[in-house]
Each structure stands twice: as C-alpha cells, then as structure tokens.
Amino acid sequence: GAAVLLALIAELWSGSRGGWMGLACALGTGAYFYMQKQGKNPLIGLLTGGFALSMVFAMLFAGSQVFRDRLVEGDAGAAEVRLPLMEVAMEMIKENPVLGVGLNLYTREMVPYDRTNHFIAYRYNHPVHNTFLMFAAETGLLSLLMLSTLIVSMLFECHRVAMRDDGIVAVAGLGVMGALISWVIHNQVNLTAPYNDTTLWALMG
C-alpha cells in the first residue's frame, strides 16, 4: 500500500499522462495475476482494482488542479506534436531499416526525412517521443527486435517466478512485471535512451 501510494504521488507530480496510464495497467495486471495465484477469480481482482483506481481518479480529479489541468486543459501542443514526430521516425526507419542513422544522431539526421505538412523537424529539433521508434531509427530494426525480445522474455520470466514461487519472491516477480509493463506503456509517448536507462536495466537485473 505504501509503495502504491508513493508511486501515485510521484506520478501525480510528474504530470505524465503516459506514466498514469502505465501505472494503472501495471496495477491491473498485478491484481489479475495475484488473484489467479490465490486460486480466485482473476476478474474479481480486475474489478476491485478498477473500482479502486476509479475512486483514486475521482479524488484526484476533484482535489488536484495539476491532475485536472493535464486532462482537460490545453497542453501547448505537447500531445499534438507527437504524431508528426512519429511520421518522421517512420520515414527514417523505412530508409535505414538495418543500421539506422547512427547512435545519438537522430536529431542531426532528422530534417531530410521530414515529409510532414507541419515541417516539424525544422521547428522542433527533438527526437520522436517514442523510445521504440527512436531506437529503431537510430540503430535499426534488428536492435529493436533484440530489445523487444529481451523485454518480453523478462515479462515471461517474471510471470513464471510469480506463479511458481511463494512469499516475497512471488510478489517481487509481480512487482517487476508491473514495473516493466508501466515502462513499456510510458515509453510509447515519452522518450528514454534504453541503453542508458538505469531504471530499465535495474528491473532487468
């Protein structure tokens, strides 16, 4: 309970909607598999978790101006800019599928691949806000496949540990699984460099 509360506080302060979605999915997944392990109907766990998250959402919406603003107010184009950035990344990947444009060279190389109507690369010199697209654009699809395979294999390993073991080991398996799920969802709309992300590699370890 304390860990979840601290996570909620941290996510609220971050203002990251991708983080909020990742945390909700992580908690839902954890509740589902925990109930399954206990021999109970996992749908009850999902419904209970969904009800709890709904109550938390309602309280935050009513009591937090930051939370409310992030959901209903304008975000100065922060969400809107992501789509043309993704289009540029897809062009980079299509033309450099094997080796990419080079590690840490995304922003230097992005302008020739901007075929959007927004000319986003000329006005917003930042990488795509999606870790997986950025990874593929810089180092190629094989690198993306390797990273994705590693993450999926870790999720299966976490599930195996959670279902096979007992006590704190099983709970830790569920916790790491939830954290990885949250990381994957958050990184669909926000960017980290996987090779330099200590959080990801600590979870993998």
Side-chain angles (χ1 to χ4, degrees):
V4 171
L5 178 61
L6 289 171
L8 285 170
I9 292 171
E11 289 293 356
L12 179 62
W13 284 345
S14 77
S16 170
R17 290 162 294 191
W20 297 343
M21 181 65 70
L23 181 61
C25 290
L27 292 173
T29 303
Y32 180 89
F33 286 118
Y34 183 77
M35 294 293 284
Q36 189 179 65
K37 182 176 176 61
Q38 300 299 314
K40 300 174 182 175
N41 187 343
L43 292 178
I44 295 175
L46 278 180
L47 290 173
T48 303
F51 177 76
L53 287 171
S54 299
M55 294 300 295
V56 170
F57 177 88
M59 288 188 292
L60 288 173
F61 194 85
S64 170
Q65 185 70 37
V66 173
F67 186 82
R68 197 161 52 246
D69 287 349
R70 288 293 284 172
L71 291 176
V72 299
E73 296 292 328
D75 62 357
E80 189 177 317
V81 77
R82 284 170 164 83
L83 290 177
L85 285 175
M86 288 180 181
E87 290 178 34
V88 174
M90 292 299 291
E91 289 295 326
M92 294 173 85
I93 294 166
K94 278 194 286 188
E95 295 196 23
N96 306 277
V98 180
L99 297 176
V101 296
L103 191 61
N104 294 325
L105 296 179
Y106 187 99
T107 52
R108 196 187 81 176
E109 300 291 335
M110 68 188 288
V111 169
Y113 301 97
D114 186 354
R115 300 183 179 106
T116 67
N117 294 327
H118 302 273
F119 302 105
I120 195 68
Y122 299 88
R123 299 186 293 110
Y124 190 75
N125 188 32
H126 293 277
V128 60
H129 294 0
N130 180 304
T131 296
F132 300 95
L133 288 178
M134 194 274 293
F135 201 65
E138 283 196 346
T139 58
L141 290 173
L142 182 59
S143 288
L144 177 63
L145 178 62
M146 292 172 67
L147 176 67
S148 302
T149 301
L150 184 58
I151 292 173
V152 170
S153 67
M154 289 297 102
L155 287 170
F156 276 109
E157 179 66 11
C158 287
H159 179 267
R160 187 183 68 81
V161 167
M163 295 295 113
R164 185 197 66 184
D165 293 307
D166 295 308
I168 192 67
V169 176
V171 174
L174 282 178
V176 175
M177 177 194 287
L180 283 171
I181 290 170
S182 182
W183 188 91
V184 168
I185 291 172
H186 182 252
N187 278 265
Q188 300 296 317
V189 292
N190 287 286
L191 176 67
T192 57
Y195 34 81
N196 197 32
D197 188 340
T198 51
T199 300
L200 176 64
W201 298 112
L203 290 170
M204 293 289 191

